[in-house]
Amino acid sequence: MTTATPTHFTAVPLDKAYRLLNHGPTVLVSSAHMGVSNVMAAAWSMPLDFDPPKLTVVIDKSTLTRELVEGSGQFALNIPSRALAAQTLAVGTDSARVVPDKLKKHGITTFAARQIVAPLVLGCVGWLECRVVPEPHNQQTYDLFIGEVAAAWADARVFHEGRWQFDQAPDDLRTLHYVAGGQFYVIGESLLVG
Amino acid sequence: MTTATPTHFTAVPLDKAYRLLNHGPTVLVSSAHMGVSNVMAAAWSMPLDFDPPKLTVVIDKSTLTRELVEGSGQFALNIPSRALAAQTLAVGTDSARVVPDKLKKHGITTFAARQIVAPLVLGCVGWLECRVVPEPHNQQTYDLFIGEVAAAWADARVFHEGRWQFDQAPDDLRTLHYVAGGQFYVIGESLLVG
């Protein structure tokens, strides 16, 4: 973990935090507990409430991330862009249980969050620092976690005035939307209706 | 409701149904109960399990859809494409409580589902027929519904061999990803990693 923060790192007002996830990007879940940290990919997350902002994410029982999230009661959702596609696939494929140095192996660099112990992933374009809203039945039965957003951040080149602005930024900053088998779609053009 | 089914209407194997939602499209929630049916837009949905496939969707207490879903125990998620952007915004803006003929007003045509009473929306590119997995605490506290997928369908021009194939189809068939204020992003290019 570096103490640096990324360039263009800008606070997102909490009442606009849901917009980071509203268009359905694939995310990286970062977590830390008792000196151990990890990052995994997740395609299954969504906003759950506006203000205070809440979100959901599915975290399988087999993962180290699950243990760290349940231990610490915290996690972050990091929104990777096209430039991080290979690393997103890699940390979604390798398990830290099998490849303990997977972050180093795949060149994932992290930096300190402000409200939680879980680190944030450098090179992403959005970040949501979350505290778990304990729902043991959902967690046990569905692997479903609810987080309340304590802080939200974005890369100001691509998210400003409370919304994504992909069309005015380099294509490498567009979000990733996973399908299967190593295939992503990159988010495309803006369409204003009405 | 017409008895016709759309052209290119093809069954999606249940173990591939999650892939219809995996890349985070905005959906239309259709429902019916006691002779009343409705369609509303929802940006907050995600896959929850592979097989049997389950998914989640947020349905606000103020909506007619909420009453129909709780009454019938069923709903469908319909995945609109770019060609339906104006209608998607319209049925997400107008409430059937205020505009009782909103489907007719906005030119929404439906056809019969196979496993549930809720109709399906013509012009969409994917359809997930769902039965509610009752979770009263989630429904009451978070407006969060869990559905088990009973049948899944897609437009074969754009979803075949178990995955989306947007790059070989007309751009009007690409999925919509809502931001806010009438702004969508259309899903973009495919990126194969590894």
Side-chain angles (χ1 to χ4, degrees), chain A residues 31-113:
Chain A
S31 55
H33 187 52
M34 308 278 278
V36 177
S37 62
N38 196 28
V39 176
M40 65 166 239
W44 297 0
S45 75
M46 68 174 191
L48 182 64
D49 209 347
F50 291 105
D51 194 12
K54 295 192 194 72
L55 52 81
T56 64
V57 61
V58 176
I59 304 174
D60 193 78
K61 288 178 189 68
S62 67
T63 63
L64 175 62
T65 296
R66 174 69 171 257
E67 185 182 322
L68 302 180
V69 170
E70 293 199 315
S72 66
Q74 303 178 345
F75 62 88
L77 298 191
N78 309 259
I79 303 175
S81 70
R82 184 186 179 127
L84 278 187
Q87 284 100 322
T88 299
L89 184 68
V91 299
T93 304
D94 279 355
S95 167
R97 298 226 185 266
V98 181
V99 186
D101 64 342
K102 78 174 198 180
L103 299 193
K104 189 175 170 194
K105 179 183 169 193
H106 298 302
I108 299 284
T109 306
T110 60
F111 61 99

